[in-house]
């Protein structure tokens, strides 16, 4: 069994779900999750660009977010250990969030099946 296969087998169950609004534990941004990788699945260059003392473990879920901060909207890739649930109830203003999701009456994001066609 290769190291990659072993890592995937040892991957934890994701704590957060697609459509959930989260915020970064350290940096001032938040977003809605649109995809989840069971373990790190980005480039080695991306990984090495993170300062070593801040680099998270690769063997945990990583989340793709339609993210935003005070200035802009963007796509972020964040380790589970660096996310917490955002309980503000505020909508995410990222334009792609509106393309892929619809908010229900309780403010939760649900995949918009019509928008996927």
């Amino acid at each position: 069994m290769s190291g990659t296969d072993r890592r995937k087998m040892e991957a934890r169950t994701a704590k957060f779900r697609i459509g959930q609004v989260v915020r970064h534990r350290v940096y001032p941004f938040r977003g809605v999750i649109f995809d989840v990788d069971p373990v790190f699945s980005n480039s080695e260059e991306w990984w090495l660009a993170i300062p070593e003392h801040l680099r998270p473990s690769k063997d945990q879920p990583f989340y793709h977010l339609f993210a935003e901060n005070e200035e802009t909207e963007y796509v972020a890739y964040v380790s589970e250990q660096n996310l917490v649930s955002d309980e503000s109830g505020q909508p995410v203003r990222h334009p792609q969030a509106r393309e892929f999701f619809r908010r229900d009456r309780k403010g939760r994001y649900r995949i918009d099946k019509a928008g996927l066609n």
Side-chain angles (χ1 to χ4, degrees), residues 47-112:
W47 180 256
L48 294 173
I50 300 169
E52 192 170 348
H53 69 283
L54 297 175
R55 222 175 273 159
S57 168
K58 289 183 177 181
D59 64 347
Q60 62 180 308
F62 276 73
Y63 299 83
H64 300 260
L65 310 177
F66 292 131
E68 61 191 32
N69 60 28
E70 287 188 14
E71 293 89 36
T72 191
E73 297 84 33
Y74 53 97
V75 172
Y77 190 64
V78 187
S79 64
E80 185 170 274
Q81 75 185 56
N82 284 319
L83 292 175
V84 294
S85 183
D86 181 309
E87 304 298 333
S88 71
Q90 296 297 312
V92 173
R93 68 176 190 274
H94 194 293
Q96 285 182 287
R98 291 188 296 274
E99 292 175 25
F100 288 89
F101 297 103
R102 292 292 171 249
R103 287 184 81 204
D104 65 18
R105 284 185 231 131
K106 294 182 179 181
R108 294 178 297 216
Y109 285 84
R110 305 288 185 196
I111 294 174
D112 181 6

